[in-house]
């Protein structure tokens, strides 16, 4: 087996790919003959970010606040609804199709209505983040709860366990991997949801920074907003990944054992 730390083995490929993309981007920007207005180089984008660092700091703080609040509300609503559907088969049959149908409505169509109803403050942006993040959290958690081992459930019931004990000891632990999968998807979209709300009608944040840069034809600043939005999403995804591995050591230990068995290590 490799002597490299596991985190380094997993982080090295994406870091190498990012480095290659930046190098290719710089080469194309310098040698293609395109003007900086069309395709600024990474160096020019970094310079634009440094020159507007004051505005960016305030914008990032506002967007992160909206993102964290929206994620917290979506987390509570999504997990709560998934638990309710797990306890009640009737609720699951009634609500599951509505959850799927809710995703057919575009966020860009709802965002202007939320701005009209609730103004240009914090609330509509938080609601947009909730709408974006709620579905993957609710569906993943509900599916995880439903996938609990029926033999373990039957064993506990035969031993006289209550429904609450079965849920806490079997169904909830079984749902945690699926829950974290949904959470990883949700955090990836959360920053985008906040930025959409700011773009449609905001007084601060990365979406407004992006809108003003576009209106000023400052292409390098547009790229700055794109890069920072992506970096925030990747950072939140990484944070959830670290929390998941810390919270579910038994799950990933079992995965490694299966991988070693399949590879013939033992």
């Amino acid at each position: 087996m490799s002597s490299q730390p596991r985190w380094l083995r997993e982080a090295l490929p994406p870091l190498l790919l990012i480095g290659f993309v930046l190098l290719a981007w710089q080469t194309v920007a310098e040698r293609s003959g395109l003007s900086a207005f069309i395709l600024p180089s990474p160096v020019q984008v970094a310079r634009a970010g440094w020159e507007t660092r004051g505005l960016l700091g305030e914008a990032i703080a506002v967007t992160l606040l909206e993102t964290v609040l929206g994620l917290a509300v979506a987390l509570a609503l999504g997990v709560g609804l998934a638990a309710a559907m797990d306890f009640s088969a009737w609720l699951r049959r009634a609500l599951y199709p509505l959850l799927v149908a809710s995703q057919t409505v575009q966020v860009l169509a709802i965002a202007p209505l939320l701005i009209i109803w609730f103004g240009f403050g914090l609330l509509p942006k938080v609601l947009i983040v909730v709408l974006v993040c709620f579905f993957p959290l609710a569906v993943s958690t509900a599916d995880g709860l439903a996938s609990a081992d029926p033999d373990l459930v039957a064993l506990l019931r035969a031993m006289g366990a209550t429904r609450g004990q079965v849920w806490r000891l079997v169904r909830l632990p079984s749902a945690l991997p699926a829950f974290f999968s949904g959470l990883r998807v949700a955090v990836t979209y959360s920053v985008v949801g906040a930025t959409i709300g700011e773009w449609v009608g905001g007084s601060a944040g990365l979406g407004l920074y992006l809108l003003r840069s576009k209106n000023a034809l400052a292409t390098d600043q547009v790229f700055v907003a794109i890069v920072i939005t992506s970096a925030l999403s990747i950072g939140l995804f990484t944070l959830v990944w670290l929390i998941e591995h810390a919270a579910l050591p038994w799950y990933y230990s079992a995965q490694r054992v299966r991988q070693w068995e399949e590879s013939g290590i033992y």
Side-chain angles (χ1 to χ4, degrees):
M1 297 177 61
S2 173
S3 60
Q4 291 180 336
R6 184 167 178 266
W7 67 267
L8 181 59
R9 294 198 306 271
E10 296 194 3
L12 192 57
L15 289 177
L16 290 175
L17 179 59
I18 291 172
F20 173 78
V21 170
L22 290 175
L23 180 61
W25 178 6
Q26 183 72 30
T27 302
V28 172
E30 288 181 347
R31 301 186 180 182
S32 64
L34 295 173
S35 68
F37 172 74
I38 300 297
L39 182 65
S41 69
V43 173
Q44 292 169 322
V45 171
R47 186 183 301 119
W50 177 255
E51 291 173 352
T52 59
R53 60 189 180 278
L55 291 173
L56 275 175
E58 296 176 2
I60 291 171
V62 171
T63 301
L64 276 179
L65 176 62
E66 297 163 352
T67 299
V68 171
L69 291 176
L71 271 173
V73 174
L75 187 63
L77 291 177
V79 174
L81 183 61
M85 290 192 298
D86 187 62
F87 275 106
S88 172
W90 185 89
L91 272 180
R92 182 180 181 90
R93 290 193 298 270
L95 294 179
Y96 203 98
L98 294 179
L99 283 175
V100 176
S102 70
Q103 298 306 293
T104 62
V105 181
Q106 293 295 321
V107 174
L108 282 173
I110 299 176
L113 290 176
L114 294 177
I115 299 297
I116 293 171
W117 292 339
F118 301 108
F120 294 89
L122 182 66
L123 180 58
K125 286 77 171 179
V126 172
L127 291 177
I128 292 171
V129 175
V130 172
L131 291 174
V132 170
C133 299
F134 172 76
F135 179 76
L137 284 169
V139 171
S140 296
T141 306
D143 289 346
L145 289 169
S147 66
D149 189 342
D151 293 334
L152 285 177
V153 173
L155 175 62
L156 282 181
R157 286 178 175 170
M159 296 172 64
T162 64
R163 189 173 184 182
Q165 290 173 326
V166 171
W167 197 86
R168 179 172 56 87
L169 296 174
V170 177
R171 303 184 80 85
L172 182 59
S174 299
L176 287 177
F179 160 76
F180 276 108
S181 296
L183 184 57
R184 289 198 303 269
V185 174
V187 298
T188 303
Y189 293 139
S190 60
V191 179
V192 177
T195 305
I196 289 174
E198 295 161 354
W199 177 282
V200 173
S203 56
L206 285 173
L208 185 63
Y209 176 93
L210 180 60
L211 181 61
R212 288 176 174 172
S213 299
K214 186 265 295 183
N215 291 340
L217 301 180
T219 311
D220 51 358
Q221 293 182 20
V222 172
F223 273 92
V224 169
I226 293 172
V227 170
I228 291 179
T229 301
S230 300
L232 290 177
S233 298
I234 293 171
L236 289 173
F237 182 94
T238 304
L239 178 61
V240 170
W241 183 87
L242 292 173
I243 294 173
E244 179 181 4
H245 279 69
L248 305 179
W250 50 271
Y251 177 75
Y252 287 97
S253 296
Q255 271 196 340
R256 286 195 292 272
V257 170
R258 286 196 298 270
Q259 291 171 356
W260 292 342
E261 290 175 345
E262 291 172 359
S263 61
I265 293 178
Y266 69 83

